Amino acid sequence: MSSKFLNHVSVITGGSTGIGLAIAQGLLAEGARRVYVTGRSRQSLEEAVALLGDAAVAVVSDVSSLADLEHLKDEIEQRGDRLDSIFANAGICEKHPFGSTTEADYDRSFDINVKGVFFTVQTLLPLLRDGGAVVLTSSICSGNGMAELSVYNASKAAVRSFARTWTNDLRERKIRVNALSPGFTRTPLMDNSLKLDEAQIDQLKEHVARITPLGYMADPAEIASAGLFLASADARYITGIELTVDGGLSQI
């Protein structure tokens, strides 16, 4: 490994599984001193830390709760850490047909995917070093009209918008803000949010293989590598962009 994140300190929300866990693994493999991983499930976080090792700190935190985010900030401050990067990765993906979506459905998606991203970064911003990096997990759905996902699609479009505006807001501190937009990726969201069983996931994989130029569904590590690039010095002149990582799907 190149140690490109030597002594780096980072927070990854939604870091106990999927893309977030793969980002944490990548940071530590490249020399990070400490990674804070958050999530709502203590069990999942304990399993993640057992995998990641002593340099990982698990914090049970719901990104839609400002009190939980303040607790996360306190945990970081108590260890005397300053942040080099923030990965605002936590999110949900639920199907809500237009015409039967409830207010509770809408609020749940926007509280986690939009409010959660906004207040994660705002709360932790005082701890982020000048010249640091913020990576927001958006989605290729931020720019398309996939059926039965209007609430999700709109929430991810908001995340994409944050990357643009915060690039201006934080320009004096030279903090880079970019959006990472994955395509179809095999993560626990398919099981937990979309409620797909294994047969349905297999069918989806076959569908994705047919419609994606590279011919398969992504693994979380393939998305994480792009996120790590955006947080690294290799991307030091990149800010405000949306990096689409979808096997070419949105280009055809």
Side-chain angles (χ1 to χ4, degrees):
M1 289 294 178
S2 65
S3 298
K4 67 175 60 178
F5 291 106
L6 187 65
N7 294 322
H8 195 94
V9 179
S10 184
V11 168
I12 307 103
T13 64
S16 62
T17 61
I19 294 168
L21 178 60
I23 288 170
Q25 290 174 306
L27 287 168
L28 292 171
E30 293 280 2
R33 178 167 61 83
R34 183 139 45 229
V35 296
Y36 293 85
V37 292
T38 81
R40 292 179 292 176
S41 166
R42 183 176 298 277
Q43 180 179 342
S44 293
L45 285 168
E46 289 174 352
E47 292 171 356
V49 167
L51 178 66
L52 294 170
D54 294 339
V57 177
V59 182
V60 178
S61 179
D62 180 346
V63 295
S64 68
S65 165
L66 271 62
D68 281 8
L69 292 173
E70 287 293 341
H71 172 66
L72 170 61
K73 181 184 177 186
D74 290 344
E75 287 279 336
I76 298 166
E77 288 181 314
Q78 287 171 12
R79 287 178 171 80
D81 281 333
R82 297 277 290 172
L83 298 174
D84 298 289
S85 64
I86 299 168
F87 290 86
N89 170 72
I92 60 172
C93 177
E94 298 177 338
K95 280 193 172 185
H96 298 305
F98 187 53
S100 60
T101 299
T102 68
E103 183 178 10
D105 293 334
Y106 181 96
D107 288 346
R108 184 168 54 252
S109 289
F110 267 73
D111 280 352
I112 294 173
N113 293 358
V114 183
K115 176 185 172 183
V117 168
F118 184 93
F119 284 102
T120 291
V121 178
Q122 180 170 277
T123 302
L124 298 180
L125 194 58
L127 302 183
L128 184 62
R129 298 181 189 278
D130 289 358
V134 177
V135 180
L136 313 176
T137 301
S138 183
S139 167
I140 60 169
C141 290
S142 68
N144 66 26
M146 195 172 294
E148 298 189 336
L149 289 172
S150 60
V151 175
Y152 175 75
N153 298 347
S155 74
K156 290 303 185 177
V159 172
R160 172 65 184 102
S161 181
F162 288 156
R164 287 192 172 100
T165 307
W166 293 347
T167 291
N168 260 330
D169 289 338
L170 300 174
R171 63 193 303 167
E172 298 302 319
R173 295 185 58 192
K174 300 295 188 290
I175 292 171
R176 299 181 300 103
V177 186
N178 292 294
L180 174 67
S181 288
F184 288 98
T185 309
R186 179 62 178 103
T187 74
L189 280 179
M190 292 186 176
D191 310 89
N192 302 329
S193 287
L194 291 173
K195 308 297 184 184
L196 301 180
D197 59 31
E198 282 301 321
Q200 291 171 317
I201 292 171
D202 287 342
Q203 290 175 357
L204 180 58
K205 285 181 177 179
E206 293 175 3
H207 173 67
V208 170
R210 289 194 300 271
I211 65 174
T212 301
L214 289 184
Y216 67 97
M217 182 182 289
D219 179 87
E222 294 173 301
I223 310 301
S225 64
L228 293 168
F229 163 72
L230 290 174
S232 76
D234 292 340
R236 59 187 172 274
Y237 201 59
I238 298 174
T239 191
I241 73 160
E242 177 181 21
L243 179 55
T244 300
V245 190
D246 67 352
L249 177 60
S250 60
Q251 305 305 312
I252 61 170

